[in-house]
Structure formats: structure tokens, C-alpha cells
Amino acid sequence: MLFNSLHFLLFFPVVVLVYLLVPRRWRYLWLLGASYYFYMGWNPKYALLIAFSTVTTYGAGRMLDKIGQAPGEERRKLRKKKWCVFVSFLINIGILFFFKYFDFALENVNRILAILHITVVEKPFDVLLPVGISFYTFQALGYTVDVYRGEIRAEKNLLRYGLFVSFFPQLVAGPIERSKNLLTQVQELDRWELWDLQRIRDGLLLMLWGFFQKLMIADRAAIGVNAVYSQYQVFGGGEILLATLLFAFQIYCDFDAYSNIARGAAKVCGFQLMVNFRQPYFSRSVGEFWRRWHISLSTWFRDYLYIPLGGSRVSPIRHWLNLMVVFLVSGVWHGANWHFILWGGLHGAFQVIGRWKDLLLGWLGDRLSWGKPLRLPAALQVLGTFVLVDLAWLVFRVNSLGDILGILRTVWQHPGFVDPAGMQMVSMEWVLLAISLAVLVVVDVLHARGISLGRQVAGQCLLVRMFLYTAGIGVILVFGVYGAAYDTSQFLYFQF
């Protein structure tokens, strides 16, 4: 079920209304049923996968709790707990590998076999990627590690834990929640007072902003981006660079839109989900970009991979290797294709080079007796970071690794515009997109300065608020689907 579908617009009010009216002790059961219905809207069979992941990680948590409380030698108990975590990871990562990476692995094995003139392995079956499998798998495995570390006690109620894994607002594209946040809220659900009109209003406003990002920016930018990247050979470097610039805003608004709608829907139900984006294109370095972009995933890798590898508390070379490993794994997480791995490698390299740059500028500052590292102007740092990130987005967006050289060759040989009309957007659509992007920049600037547009609107009198709400909904309904080539699409991160 898509957020930007009539199905969801009918589903959500019904879920909320019943949720507000049912007895407190039944709230989590109602939300659990609604979450499974939401997920089964794509493919009912794949509900068995999320149920299996829920049961295995729930069992691992209970086993870890039991081992921790049992008498015995601590070293032996620790060894048992490690085996428990290993089995949980093996089962769930194994399922993820089968559905997401089996075809990719088989394709590369066959390439090697072909080089060696050995008969290739026939593909035994077709595997359809279950939507959101990477998100809920990481969320469930994070819970296993949290219980292992003693940061949270294992949940005894399987159905409450099931709601934590499958909570419908953030189920298929995040944020990837932590047990210390979302599971704790699930456990306290029957003690909440849900009839808070201000909270419900704030949640609906956050959802409205998400729909603006999705329909007015992401889906409209996708028209030109898809047109160029599907047949870049017929365009010039101008169209390719413009499409790459648009893709930076498409993927940001698409993913941030889902996160905002998810957070807003959860807020209407009384839940607080983590913020997933904090104006990432205002970053002054690639390292800062990853502290602002897809925060739930970057912090997951930090806590469950980077720090266990040693983090920065090791030698510089080992530290740089840790960074590369994390970002290569991040590339693999995003997709089963070599261009995703290259994209992760680029970001890892940017991080390592950024560390070298900081060391060099610090050394120069000391040599020049300035007492502090040399710094570029903030605007140049932001611009340089955006250029690097957008260059990596080109690698991310291509359909295959082989397209990268072709695209770069086209940009070099034909730097101008060849067929702007081929981007399938008329003048009015470009105007709407430009205005929407300007609104996005203004809102991000305000948020970066600690000014909440929602609170500003909420502070107005009732008449002004009603006018602004009605105008916002009207603009999205009228102009959000404007244009002959326009077609609402699913959220980009569903495929990951």
C-alpha cells in the first residue's frame, strides 16, 4: 500500500478512528493487525517472511535473556550469547541474501564460469524482492544486539514485539527504529492519553509536508531524470548534468517525504519516530552529510558495524579501512548491483580523503603559526560537498556499471544541450518545479535556524490556519499531478 494512493487515504482514517476508540488493552493488537494488512497490500505471501523474522529475533531475545539470568561462569554464558546472536544474524541475513542478492551472486558466478569456459548455472527460479525487507530485517537484528548488550530487556509478549517490527508507518522504508525508542513506546501504549488535538494536528501537518515533497518535487523531477537516464545517448551533457542535479533533489524529497509521512502518521497515533534527515545538502563535508542523511541507517551502521570494528579508536590506517568497509556494506545494502557498491566505495573514499584533508590543513595551520587549521569559506565547503555527493548520485542512479563511462563520455564530448524537450516537461512544469524547490530551500533554511514552519502556522488565528491548510491541500491536489507526462510513482527506497 502506497502512502500516495487512494487506498491509504481510506485506510489511515479508519485505522486512527478505531485506534482512538478501542479499549486501551487492545490498542497494540489493532495496530498489529492494521500493520500486517498494510504490508499484505503488496503481496500477502510475504507477510510470512516478516512473521518469521519476528519469531526468530523474538526467540533470540528471549534466549539471550534466559542465558543472562542463568547461573554459571560468565565466560561460558558470554560464548552462548554470542552463538545466539550469530544464529539470529545467520538466519535473517540468509533470508535477506536469498531474496535480494541471490540473482546478483549467481550472475557474477556465471561470469566467472564463462571466462573459465565452464558451463554456467541455470537460474532455478525467479525471486521477487519483498518490499522493505532490508528495513525490517535491520530493525529486528538491532533489537537482538541491544538485548545482547544489555541495553534493553527482552520483550516477553510476542505480539507487542511483532508490532515493533511491523509498525506500518515506518515498515517498508524506515526510519529504522531502535528498540530503546519504538519498542519502549509499544510497551507503554496502553497508558497513553491519545486524544491530544495539538499532537494530531502536528502529525497531519508533517504528513502534508511529506506529500508536498513527494508530489510537487520528487515525482515531477523523476520525469526528466528518468527520460535522460533511460536513453542518455540521445542527450547532451547539459541534459545529463541537469538530470543529475534534479536527481539529488528527487531522491532527497522522495525519501524525506516518506520519512515525514511516516513520522506524521505515527505522531497522530501517539508515537515519536526519529528524525531521518536534517537538511543534508547544507553539509560542509561528506562526513557531516552522513550525519544528516538517512540518519537511522547511518547510525545503525555506526553502532552495529563501525564501532564493533574499532571505529576511530585504532590506528589511522585501520580507521580508514573501517570507514571503507562500512560504506561498501552500505552500498551493498542499497542494491544488488556493482554501481551501488561503487557508490558506497566513493563515499568511503570521500570520508578517508576528508580525514587526510583535515590533517593536512591542521598541519599547515600549525606551520603558519595560525594556531588553528586552515578553513575554506563555509559557502565553498557546502558547494564542494554537494558537488561530490551529486557526482556520487550519478553513479547511484545509472542503470548499470557500464553506463557510467558512456555518460561521462557524452558529457565530455557534447557538453551543451541537445534535446531539452526530450526531458518530457513543458514550461509550466519547469516553473512549478522551480517554485517548489524554492519553497523547499526556504523551509530547510528555516529549520536549520531552528524555526519550525509548523509551529509558525499553528500560532496563527483559526481563520488564517484554515486558509493555509486548505490552500496547501488544494495546491497539492491541483498541481501535484499536473502535466501530460506526470505519473505518480512508488517511493524510491522501496526497492532497497
Side-chain angles (χ1 to χ4, degrees):
M1 188 186 305
L2 298 172
F3 281 161
N4 54 331
S5 68
L6 180 61
H7 193 180
F8 179 78
L9 295 181
L10 296 174
F11 163 84
F12 184 64
V14 173
V15 169
V16 172
L17 181 61
V18 176
Y19 172 67
L20 293 173
L21 296 176
V22 297
R24 291 171 179 255
R25 66 181 181 277
W26 293 353
R27 287 173 180 171
Y28 77 94
L29 295 173
W30 171 250
L31 287 181
L32 178 62
S35 297
Y36 268 81
Y37 176 82
F38 177 87
Y39 190 71
M40 291 168 67
W42 281 282
N43 189 325
K45 296 178 182 178
Y46 285 149
L48 296 174
L49 285 176
I50 192 171
F52 183 75
S53 179
T54 298
V55 170
T56 55
T57 51
Y58 167 82
R62 296 285 284 147
M63 183 64 69
L64 288 167
D65 217 21
K66 183 177 179 180
I67 294 171
Q69 296 180 31
E73 184 186 358
E74 289 300 320
R75 183 178 300 178
R76 180 174 296 179
K77 289 165 60 175
L78 181 60
R79 186 163 57 248
K80 289 182 179 179
K81 291 171 72 173
K82 287 182 176 179
W83 270 106
C84 188
V85 172
F86 173 76
V87 171
S88 178
F89 267 72
L90 182 65
I91 292 172
N92 286 277
I93 295 297
I95 294 173
L96 180 62
F97 174 85
F98 176 77
F99 282 96
K100 190 169 183 177
Y101 303 105
F102 178 80
D103 288 350
F104 177 64
L106 182 61
E107 177 186 345
N108 284 279
V109 167
N110 281 335
R111 287 178 178 174
I112 296 173
L113 293 177
I115 294 173
L116 299 175
H117 304 290
I118 300 175
T119 304
V120 298
V121 179
E122 294 293 334
K123 186 177 178 181
F125 38 70
D126 290 322
V127 179
L128 180 65
L129 178 65
V131 65
I133 187 172
S134 298
F135 289 88
Y136 69 71
T137 298
F138 270 37
Q139 185 159 306
L141 291 177
Y143 161 82
T144 304
V145 177
D146 289 343
V147 175
Y148 166 78
R149 292 174 174 174
E151 296 177 1
I152 189 171
R153 289 294 301 274
E155 171 58 48
K156 296 180 179 180
N157 187 316
L158 174 59
L159 298 182
R160 287 188 187 274
Y161 176 71
L163 177 57
F164 159 72
V165 177
S166 64
F167 186 44
F168 75 88
Q170 49 84 228
L171 172 59
V172 296
I176 303 172
E177 276 294 342
R178 305 301 180 82
S179 56
K180 289 174 287 187
N181 180 35
L182 182 55
L183 181 57
T184 301
Q185 294 181 66
V186 170
Q187 292 166 340
E188 299 173 350
L189 183 56
D190 56 0
R191 296 195 290 271
W192 293 351
E193 180 57 55
L194 297 179
W195 289 96
D196 183 342
L197 294 181
Q198 180 177 343
R199 190 202 71 243
I200 294 173
R201 179 200 63 200
D202 291 345
L204 292 174
L205 278 176
L206 193 54
M207 294 177 71
L208 184 63
W209 174 243
F211 283 117
F212 174 85
Q213 291 176 296
K214 173 64 174 171
L215 297 175
M216 297 294 291
I217 300 177
D219 286 351
R220 177 157 287 112
I223 299 171
V225 173
N226 293 341
V228 172
Y229 274 88
S230 63
Q231 47 179 354
Y232 67 87
Q233 299 89 344
V234 302
F235 292 99
E239 289 94 344
I240 291 174
L241 293 176
L242 178 57
T244 304
L245 175 64
L246 289 179
F247 181 69
F249 290 97
Q250 178 199 351
I251 194 168
Y252 169 41
C253 288
D254 192 281
F255 197 14
D256 193 33
Y258 188 95
S259 296
N260 285 328
I261 297 172
R263 290 174 56 227
K267 196 166 191 174
V268 171
C269 297
F271 290 84
Q272 294 289 337
L273 301 183
M274 68 183 300
V275 175
N276 216 12
F277 292 85
R278 295 186 187 277
Q279 304 82 51
Y281 293 145
F282 292 166
S283 303
R284 299 186 183 187
S285 67
V286 176
E288 183 184 350
F289 172 81
W290 278 102
R291 292 191 291 274
R292 293 168 172 260
W293 176 275
H294 200 173
I295 299 170
S296 64
L297 179 67
S298 59
T299 54
W300 196 99
F301 279 124
R302 179 198 66 197
D303 294 343
Y304 302 122
L305 181 59
Y306 176 69
I307 291 177
L309 286 174
S312 60
R313 306 180 308 276
V314 290
S315 66
I317 294 178
R318 177 66 184 276
H319 178 211
W320 300 334
L321 178 61
N322 291 343
L323 287 171
M324 289 300 300
V325 169
V326 168
F327 280 96
L328 287 172
V329 172
S330 176
V332 172
W333 181 91
H334 278 83
N337 202 305
W338 284 108
H339 67 91
F340 289 118
I341 298 174
L342 177 58
W343 170 79
L346 279 175
H347 272 280
F350 292 157
Q351 295 265 27
V352 172
I353 293 171
R355 299 300 196 278
W356 292 348
K357 179 206 71 176
D358 292 341
L359 291 174
L360 176 61
L361 293 180
W363 178 80
L364 287 175
D366 290 339
R367 291 290 297 232
L368 294 173
S369 301
W370 287 4
K372 59 181 179 179
L374 295 175
R375 296 288 184 190
L376 294 173
L380 286 181
Q381 293 181 53
V382 171
L383 178 61
T385 300
F386 180 79
V387 169
L388 291 176
V389 170
D390 203 24
L391 174 64
W393 283 138
L394 185 153
V395 175
F396 186 95
R397 178 56 184 81
V398 295
N399 298 311
S400 68
L401 196 61
D403 286 348
I404 298 174
L405 290 178
I407 287 175
L408 295 177
R409 188 182 304 113
T410 299
V411 172
W412 177 260
Q413 295 176 349
H414 307 284
F417 286 85
V418 172
D419 183 23
M423 297 183 73
Q424 301 179 11
M425 293 172 63
V426 298
S427 299
M428 184 60 180
E429 290 177 281
W430 285 109
V431 171
L432 287 173
L433 181 57
I435 294 173
S436 301
L437 287 172
V439 172
L440 173 72
V441 171
V442 169
V443 171
D444 271 5
V445 168
L446 291 175
H447 285 170
R449 296 182 177 180
I451 302 173
S452 170
L453 195 61
R455 286 198 294 269
Q456 295 297 317
V457 172
Q460 305 302 313
C461 67
L462 178 62
L463 185 62
V464 173
R465 292 204 309 270
M466 295 307 298
F467 171 77
L468 292 174
Y469 298 156
T470 305
I473 295 171
V475 166
I476 293 173
L477 289 177
V478 174
F479 296 108
V481 293
Y482 176 86
Y486 184 82
D487 180 27
T488 54
S489 58
Q490 71 175 21
F491 290 84
L492 281 175
Y493 264 67
F494 281 12
Q495 63 188 291
F496 308 132

